[in-house]
């Protein structure tokens, strides 16, 4: 079953987040995921959304998503993401 990782970010130290972002695709491309959305200007249709960016990644299954999330390579660069942005990160199972 397809699994999505969804991140909603509020930048706190943009220079650190930018350093993370510059290294992200080099790490991400080693895994079985697809980057579907990385938007710093989403349009809010309803409600209050006090964030700056949304990221949606697709993985073929839960194991692939966890392999990426728990990899040494991602943990290394995620230090800058965590220092540079307040994030809500979750997984969601697809319908298939």
């Amino acid at each position: 079953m397809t699994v999505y990782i969804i991140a909603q970010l509020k930048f706190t130290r943009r220079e650190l987040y930018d350093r993370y972002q510059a290294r992200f695709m080099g790490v991400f491309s080693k895994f079985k995921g697809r980057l579907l959305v990385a938007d710093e200007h989403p349009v809010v249709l309803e409600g209050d959304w006090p964030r700056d960016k949304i990221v949606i990644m697709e993985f073929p299954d839960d194991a692939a998503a966890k392999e990426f999330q728990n990899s040494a390579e991602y943990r290394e660069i995620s230090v800058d993401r965590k220092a540079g942005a307040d994030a809500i990160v979750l997984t969601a199972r697809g319908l298939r």
Side-chain angles (χ1 to χ4, degrees):
M1 177 177 295
T2 302
V3 171
Y4 300 90
I5 293 178
I6 303 160
Q8 299 177 40
L9 304 147
K10 177 73 176 167
F11 301 128
T12 56
R13 295 187 61 197
R14 185 60 194 250
E15 71 281 3
L16 295 176
Y17 183 83
D18 287 347
R19 187 166 61 186
Y20 158 80
Q21 185 171 285
R23 297 174 65 197
F24 176 82
M25 285 309 293
V27 171
F28 186 74
S29 66
K30 297 176 183 179
F31 296 88
K32 299 173 193 148
R34 287 187 339 149
L35 182 62
L36 300 179
V37 176
D39 191 351
E40 290 190 21
H41 304 287
V43 176
V44 177
L45 299 178
E46 290 185 31
D48 185 33
W49 192 70
R51 299 280 164 174
D52 297 313
K53 184 175 184 176
I54 188 164
V55 176
I56 302 173
M57 297 167 271
E58 177 186 61
F59 294 87
D61 53 37
D62 189 55
K66 286 179 180 173
E67 180 184 17
F68 164 70
Q69 193 74 19
N70 296 326
S71 70
E73 298 98 324
Y74 183 69
R75 284 195 322 266
E76 180 183 328
I77 69 168
S78 71
V79 170
D80 284 334
R81 180 190 54 80
K82 292 174 183 177
D86 174 48
I88 297 170
V89 181
L90 41 99
T91 62
R93 290 180 298 223
L95 299 175
R96 299 176 204 211

